[in-house]
Short mmCIF file of all heavy atoms in Angstrom, two decimals:
data_model
loop_
_atom_site.label_atom_id
_atom_site.label_comp_id
_atom_site.label_asym_id
_atom_site.label_seq_id
_atom_site.Cartn_x
_atom_site.Cartn_y
_atom_site.Cartn_z
N ARG Q 213 98.76 84.23 105.23
CA ARG Q 213 97.96 84.06 104.04
C ARG Q 213 98.32 82.79 103.27
O ARG Q 213 97.52 82.15 102.72
CB ARG Q 213 98.08 85.43 103.31
CG ARG Q 213 97.09 85.50 102.25
CD ARG Q 213 97.15 87.04 101.63
NE ARG Q 213 96.40 87.05 100.36
CZ ARG Q 213 96.00 88.17 99.86
NH1 ARG Q 213 96.31 89.37 100.44
NH2 ARG Q 213 95.42 88.31 98.72
N ASP Q 335 91.58 79.34 92.09
CA ASP Q 335 92.45 78.50 91.09
C ASP Q 335 91.89 77.15 90.92
O ASP Q 335 91.93 76.68 89.76
CB ASP Q 335 93.91 78.49 91.72
CG ASP Q 335 94.61 79.83 91.65
OD1 ASP Q 335 94.16 80.67 90.88
OD2 ASP Q 335 95.57 79.93 92.42
N GLN Q 358 81.03 81.05 83.63
CA GLN Q 358 81.97 82.26 83.58
C GLN Q 358 81.50 83.31 84.61
O GLN Q 358 82.35 83.93 85.35
CB GLN Q 358 82.05 82.84 82.24
CG GLN Q 358 82.68 82.02 81.27
CD GLN Q 358 82.60 82.51 79.77
OE1 GLN Q 358 81.94 83.71 79.59
NE2 GLN Q 358 83.16 81.96 78.83
N SER Q 362 83.55 84.66 87.71
CA SER Q 362 84.01 86.09 87.88
C SER Q 362 83.57 86.70 89.08
O SER Q 362 84.19 87.52 89.68
CB SER Q 362 83.52 86.88 86.54
OG SER Q 362 82.22 87.21 86.70
N ALA Q 370 88.05 91.86 96.40
CA ALA Q 370 87.62 92.78 97.48
C ALA Q 370 88.23 92.30 98.85
O ALA Q 370 88.76 93.19 99.55
CB ALA Q 370 86.12 92.77 97.54
N HIS Q 398 85.12 91.37 108.16
CA HIS Q 398 83.74 91.38 107.59
C HIS Q 398 83.83 91.03 106.13
O HIS Q 398 83.16 90.10 105.66
CB HIS Q 398 83.09 92.89 107.69
CG HIS Q 398 81.79 92.95 106.95
ND1 HIS Q 398 81.72 93.09 105.63
CD2 HIS Q 398 80.53 93.01 107.44
CE1 HIS Q 398 80.54 93.25 105.18
NE2 HIS Q 398 79.79 93.14 106.31
N ALA Q 447 79.93 93.75 111.46
CA ALA Q 447 79.02 94.83 110.91
C ALA Q 447 78.36 95.54 112.09
O ALA Q 447 78.20 96.67 112.18
CB ALA Q 447 77.96 94.23 109.95
N GLY Q 451 78.63 99.31 112.93
CA GLY Q 451 77.47 100.14 112.88
C GLY Q 451 77.21 100.84 114.25
O GLY Q 451 76.89 101.99 114.26
N LEU Q 455 76.95 104.87 114.73
CA LEU Q 455 75.75 105.48 115.32
C LEU Q 455 75.97 106.23 116.59
O LEU Q 455 75.27 107.19 116.99
CB LEU Q 455 74.76 104.42 115.53
CG LEU Q 455 73.98 103.79 114.32
CD1 LEU Q 455 73.13 102.55 114.60
CD2 LEU Q 455 73.13 104.81 113.58
N GLU Q 457 78.40 108.11 116.96
CA GLU Q 457 79.15 109.38 116.62
C GLU Q 457 77.99 110.37 115.98
O GLU Q 457 77.48 110.06 114.96
CB GLU Q 457 80.24 109.20 115.61
CG GLU Q 457 81.49 108.70 116.34
CD GLU Q 457 82.75 109.01 115.70
OE1 GLU Q 457 82.88 110.10 114.97
OE2 GLU Q 457 83.74 108.28 115.69
N LEU Q 461 77.92 110.60 108.48
CA LEU Q 461 78.65 109.34 108.45
C LEU Q 461 79.97 109.55 107.52
O LEU Q 461 81.06 108.97 107.84
CB LEU Q 461 77.86 108.27 107.76
CG LEU Q 461 78.43 106.99 107.50
CD1 LEU Q 461 78.85 106.25 108.74
CD2 LEU Q 461 77.55 105.95 106.68
N TRP Q 462 79.84 110.27 106.41
CA TRP Q 462 80.95 110.52 105.49
C TRP Q 462 82.12 111.15 106.31
O TRP Q 462 83.31 110.67 106.02
CB TRP Q 462 80.53 111.37 104.39
CG TRP Q 462 81.63 111.61 103.35
CD1 TRP Q 462 82.22 112.87 103.12
CD2 TRP Q 462 82.24 110.69 102.50
NE1 TRP Q 462 83.18 112.58 102.12
CE2 TRP Q 462 83.19 111.33 101.72
CE3 TRP Q 462 82.07 109.24 102.35
CZ2 TRP Q 462 84.00 110.63 100.88
CZ3 TRP Q 462 82.86 108.56 101.41
CH2 TRP Q 462 83.84 109.28 100.64
N THR Q 466 85.87 109.25 106.53
CA THR Q 466 87.07 109.90 105.91
C THR Q 466 87.99 110.57 107.09
O THR Q 466 88.90 111.01 106.73
CB THR Q 466 86.71 111.07 104.94
OG1 THR Q 466 85.75 111.91 105.55
CG2 THR Q 466 86.04 110.49 103.65
N LYS Q 471 90.05 104.92 106.96
CA LYS Q 471 90.70 103.65 107.47
C LYS Q 471 90.71 102.65 106.32
O LYS Q 471 89.77 102.43 105.64
CB LYS Q 471 90.08 103.11 108.65
CG LYS Q 471 90.01 104.10 109.82
CD LYS Q 471 91.30 104.21 110.50
CE LYS Q 471 91.30 105.37 111.58
NZ LYS Q 471 90.52 105.13 112.66
N SER R 73 97.90 86.89 94.35
CA SER R 73 96.57 87.38 93.95
C SER R 73 96.56 87.67 92.49
O SER R 73 97.63 88.08 91.94
CB SER R 73 96.24 88.62 94.73
OG SER R 73 96.16 88.34 96.13
N ARG R 74 95.42 87.58 91.92
CA ARG R 74 95.30 87.91 90.47
C ARG R 74 95.16 89.33 90.24
O ARG R 74 95.25 89.76 89.12
CB ARG R 74 94.18 87.15 89.96
CG ARG R 74 94.29 85.58 89.93
CD ARG R 74 92.97 84.94 89.80
NE ARG R 74 93.16 83.48 89.79
CZ ARG R 74 93.43 82.77 88.65
NH1 ARG R 74 93.49 83.28 87.56
NH2 ARG R 74 93.63 81.44 88.83
N ARG R 94 85.25 120.62 100.90
CA ARG R 94 84.21 120.53 101.83
C ARG R 94 83.69 121.90 102.21
O ARG R 94 82.46 122.23 102.13
CB ARG R 94 84.60 119.82 103.09
CG ARG R 94 83.59 118.82 103.52
CD ARG R 94 84.17 117.91 104.56
NE ARG R 94 84.41 116.52 104.10
CZ ARG R 94 84.91 115.60 104.85
NH1 ARG R 94 85.13 115.76 106.12
NH2 ARG R 94 85.10 114.35 104.35
N GLU R 155 84.22 114.10 97.30
CA GLU R 155 83.57 115.11 97.95
C GLU R 155 82.37 115.65 97.12
O GLU R 155 81.33 115.96 97.73
CB GLU R 155 84.48 116.23 98.39
CG GLU R 155 85.46 115.78 99.44
CD GLU R 155 84.84 115.38 100.77
OE1 GLU R 155 83.81 115.96 101.21
OE2 GLU R 155 85.37 114.42 101.32
N GLU R 337 73.08 108.84 104.14
CA GLU R 337 73.24 109.96 104.97
C GLU R 337 71.90 110.61 105.38
O GLU R 337 71.64 110.86 106.58
CB GLU R 337 74.11 111.07 104.17
CG GLU R 337 74.89 111.87 105.11
CD GLU R 337 76.11 111.17 105.70
OE1 GLU R 337 76.04 110.59 106.71
OE2 GLU R 337 77.25 111.39 105.19
N ARG R 344 67.94 107.76 112.74
CA ARG R 344 69.11 107.20 113.35
C ARG R 344 68.66 106.08 114.30
O ARG R 344 69.38 105.05 114.34
CB ARG R 344 69.77 108.28 114.18
CG ARG R 344 71.12 107.91 114.77
CD ARG R 344 71.82 109.12 115.39
NE ARG R 344 72.48 109.96 114.41
CZ ARG R 344 73.77 109.82 114.13
NH1 ARG R 344 74.53 108.94 114.78
NH2 ARG R 344 74.36 110.60 113.34
N ALA R 349 72.22 98.45 113.64
CA ALA R 349 73.74 98.62 113.48
C ALA R 349 74.33 97.66 112.48
O ALA R 349 75.24 98.13 111.76
CB ALA R 349 74.31 98.28 114.88
N GLY R 353 76.61 98.88 109.57
CA GLY R 353 78.10 98.39 109.53
C GLY R 353 78.37 97.71 108.26
O GLY R 353 79.49 97.74 107.74
N ASP R 354 77.47 96.92 107.78
CA ASP R 354 77.67 96.08 106.52
C ASP R 354 78.02 97.17 105.39
O ASP R 354 78.81 96.95 104.59
CB ASP R 354 76.47 95.24 106.27
CG ASP R 354 76.56 94.49 105.01
OD1 ASP R 354 77.37 93.62 104.86
OD2 ASP R 354 75.70 94.81 104.01
N VAL R 360 84.07 101.04 102.61
CA VAL R 360 85.57 101.25 102.97
C VAL R 360 86.41 100.41 101.97
O VAL R 360 87.43 100.87 101.47
CB VAL R 360 85.81 100.88 104.40
CG1 VAL R 360 87.34 100.90 104.66
CG2 VAL R 360 85.14 101.87 105.36
N THR R 361 85.97 99.20 101.77
CA THR R 361 86.69 98.26 100.79
C THR R 361 86.70 98.83 99.40
O THR R 361 87.73 98.86 98.70
CB THR R 361 86.06 96.96 100.87
OG1 THR R 361 86.11 96.42 102.19
CG2 THR R 361 86.93 95.95 100.01
N LEU R 385 86.20 95.41 88.18
CA LEU R 385 85.82 94.82 89.47
C LEU R 385 85.17 95.88 90.33
O LEU R 385 84.10 95.67 91.02
CB LEU R 385 86.97 94.25 90.21
CG LEU R 385 87.54 92.94 89.65
CD1 LEU R 385 88.93 92.68 90.24
CD2 LEU R 385 86.63 91.80 90.07
N ARG R 442 81.49 91.05 83.81
CA ARG R 442 81.71 89.68 84.17
C ARG R 442 82.56 89.03 83.12
O ARG R 442 83.45 88.28 83.42
CB ARG R 442 80.48 88.88 84.41
CG ARG R 442 79.75 89.25 85.77
CD ARG R 442 78.60 88.45 85.88
NE ARG R 442 77.85 88.63 87.19
CZ ARG R 442 76.63 88.48 87.39
NH1 ARG R 442 75.90 88.00 86.46
NH2 ARG R 442 76.18 88.61 88.55
N ARG R 452 88.12 82.85 79.06
CA ARG R 452 87.30 83.32 77.94
C ARG R 452 88.24 83.71 76.76
O ARG R 452 89.29 84.29 76.97
CB ARG R 452 86.54 84.58 78.32
CG ARG R 452 85.06 84.40 78.20
CD ARG R 452 84.31 85.66 78.34
NE ARG R 452 83.87 86.27 77.14
CZ ARG R 452 84.00 87.54 76.85
NH1 ARG R 452 84.49 88.38 77.64
NH2 ARG R 452 83.56 87.95 75.66
#
Side-chain angles (χ1 to χ4, degrees):
Chain Q
R213 189 166 170 167
D335 287 345
Q358 290 175 359
S362 79
H398 172 284
L455 288 169
E457 284 206 31
L461 175 64
W462 181 246
T466 52
K471 299 284 174 67
Chain R
S73 299
R74 292 162 181 274
R94 226 170 251 183
E155 290 299 322
E337 207 75 276
R344 189 175 278 268
D354 176 66
V360 169
T361 304
L385 286 166
R442 283 179 177 157
R452 241 189 101 219

